[in-house]
Amino acid sequence: MQRRDFLRTAAALPLTGLVAHAHAAEEKWPTRPVRIVVPYTPGGSSDIIARLISPELSKALGESVVVENRPGANGNLGTGIVAKADDGHTLLLCDIGALAITPSVYTKLTFDPSKDLRPVSMLAYSPHVLAVHPSFPAKTLPEIVELSKKQRVNFAVTAIGSAPHLAAVAVQQATGAKWEYVPYKGGAQAISDTVGGQTEVIMNGLLATLPHIRSGNLRAIAISKRERMQLIPDIPTIAEQGVAGFESGTWQGIMAPATLPAATAERLAKILADIAKQPEIVEKLNQQGAEVVTYDPTQLGKFYTTERDRWAKVVKSVGITLD
């Protein structure tokens, strides 16, 4: 071997070693327990899905997977924790639609979802459902609208600026309703108070609300899909009741700190998609009013951007800003 060729080969060895080491590090992930942060209270749609997939994810990864609820500030507390996490083993499971709303509503965020979080995988979608306490006299959306013009109607929402809240605002704008919003720190408490009669009307994800409709503790008025669902064919859509083309919902997905390697995110997305598509998980979600929807990191990133732009217009139209 000539001296020049020898030096060229020798110079390449350290770089080759570094690349091999980087690939090995990615292949070994995870090397410790994985934490899934749910930035909402227990019992909501994101929490239900996190606890449904975590045992299967643990099996697939060969490490324990722990679900941790960190509610507060409409999901911003838990999301901020994940955005700043530097352990390489912290994930966020949240409503992607709600996350897309955050930059338009909050003026003093400690994180930028577009820069500090890496999209990993979409998991499921469930439409919002408009429901009332069984004693509430109105039986249809038009009847609720008319009643709201004559008397106070207390309308429970998971939080001001949340996806269910802005969906309700969009319906309000389209119908001229005058209901009074009562904000909560999560869907579970909003449901509980509506079941208890402290509030009268609620807009929330179907996944967390359907059990209460089936039990008779709540009465469904409408769902926010363009077409009726086979699971609950007797519940009409909001579009059928005067708001043409209306559709909204709760989109559960996994995000990670931006420092998670792209290759790791891609591998994790494939694992999560396989888990979400398991027949038993599909069946459990379908029976609760949710559909399995899997996006890879690129698709999820595009969806987030579209949702952010869509809801920014609604936020601007009503002038909602929070600190």
Side-chain angles (χ1 to χ4, degrees):
M1 179 184 292
Q2 293 184 358
R3 184 172 183 274
R4 181 180 300 172
D5 293 334
F6 174 81
L7 291 175
R8 186 181 297 117
T9 302
L13 286 175
L15 180 59
T16 303
L18 287 173
V19 172
H21 178 76
H23 285 314
E26 288 178 0
E27 290 172 0
K28 288 181 180 179
W29 188 94
T31 58
R32 67 184 78 169
V34 174
R35 176 174 59 152
I36 297 179
V37 174
V38 176
Y40 314 114
T41 53
S45 299
S46 295
D47 183 66
I48 291 171
I49 292 178
R51 297 184 188 281
L52 183 61
I53 69 166
S54 57
E56 295 302 316
L57 183 58
S58 178
K59 292 177 187 177
L61 296 178
E63 288 283 353
S64 60
V65 176
V66 180
V67 177
E68 181 179 326
N69 295 90
R70 297 299 296 268
N74 199 10
N76 294 332
L77 176 63
T79 302
I81 289 171
V82 176
K84 296 177 181 179
D86 59 1
D87 61 0
H89 290 71
T90 298
L91 304 173
L92 176 73
L93 200 164
C94 69
D95 180 347
I96 302 299
L99 182 64
I101 292 168
T102 295
S104 298
V105 173
Y106 288 86
T107 59
K108 298 180 180 179
L109 284 176
T110 61
F111 61 91
D112 183 341
S114 299
K115 296 179 180 179
D116 300 330
L117 294 173
R118 178 184 294 281
V120 177
S121 176
M122 188 74 84
L123 296 172
Y125 161 78
S126 63
H128 291 133
V129 60
L130 182 67
V132 300
H133 186 271
S135 66
F136 193 66
K139 300 294 192 296
T140 65
L141 175 56
E143 288 180 7
I144 296 177
V145 172
E146 288 306 309
L147 190 62
S148 74
K149 296 175 181 178
K150 300 174 183 177
Q151 65 184 57
R152 181 186 176 97
V153 171
N154 292 320
F155 197 117
V157 291
T158 56
I160 295 297
S162 65
H165 173 221
L166 289 189
V169 167
V171 173
Q172 182 181 17
Q173 291 177 333
T175 61
K178 298 183 180 298
W179 42 61
E180 298 291 329
Y181 293 110
V182 181
Y184 289 88
K185 293 182 179 180
Q189 188 59 49
I191 291 171
S192 178
D193 272 17
T194 309
V195 167
Q198 285 89 347
T199 48
E200 300 160 308
V201 184
I202 185 171
M203 176 81 87
N204 197 47
L206 183 63
L207 177 60
T209 313
L210 186 56
H212 301 276
I213 293 171
R214 284 175 169 159
S215 68
N217 290 323
L218 292 174
R219 173 160 42 84
I221 297 295
I223 59 168
S224 62
K225 288 196 72 173
R226 296 191 181 188
E227 299 178 352
R228 295 194 186 198
M229 296 182 68
Q230 290 184 346
L231 178 67
I232 42 176
D234 294 336
I235 301 178
T237 66
I238 289 174
E240 284 179 63
Q241 299 185 65
V243 189
F246 184 83
E247 187 170 19
S248 66
T250 300
W251 299 85
Q252 265 66 44
I254 293 279
M255 306 284 274
T259 52
L260 186 75
T264 300
E266 291 282 355
R267 183 165 70 89
L268 180 57
K270 292 177 182 177
I271 293 171
L272 287 166
D274 288 342
I275 291 172
K277 292 175 182 176
Q278 290 180 7
E280 59 272 24
I281 289 183
V282 171
E283 179 65 18
K284 286 179 181 178
L285 289 175
N286 286 348
Q287 288 302 313
Q288 296 183 74
E291 302 172 352
V292 169
V293 178
T294 58
Y295 291 168
D296 64 25
T298 299
Q299 293 169 324
L300 180 54
K302 290 179 179 178
F303 175 84
Y304 171 81
T305 299
T306 299
E307 286 292 284
R308 183 191 62 198
D309 295 345
R310 171 194 179 192
W311 289 112
K313 296 175 183 177
V314 178
V315 172
K316 183 177 181 180
S317 71
V318 294
I320 300 174
T321 55
L322 299 172
D323 292 325

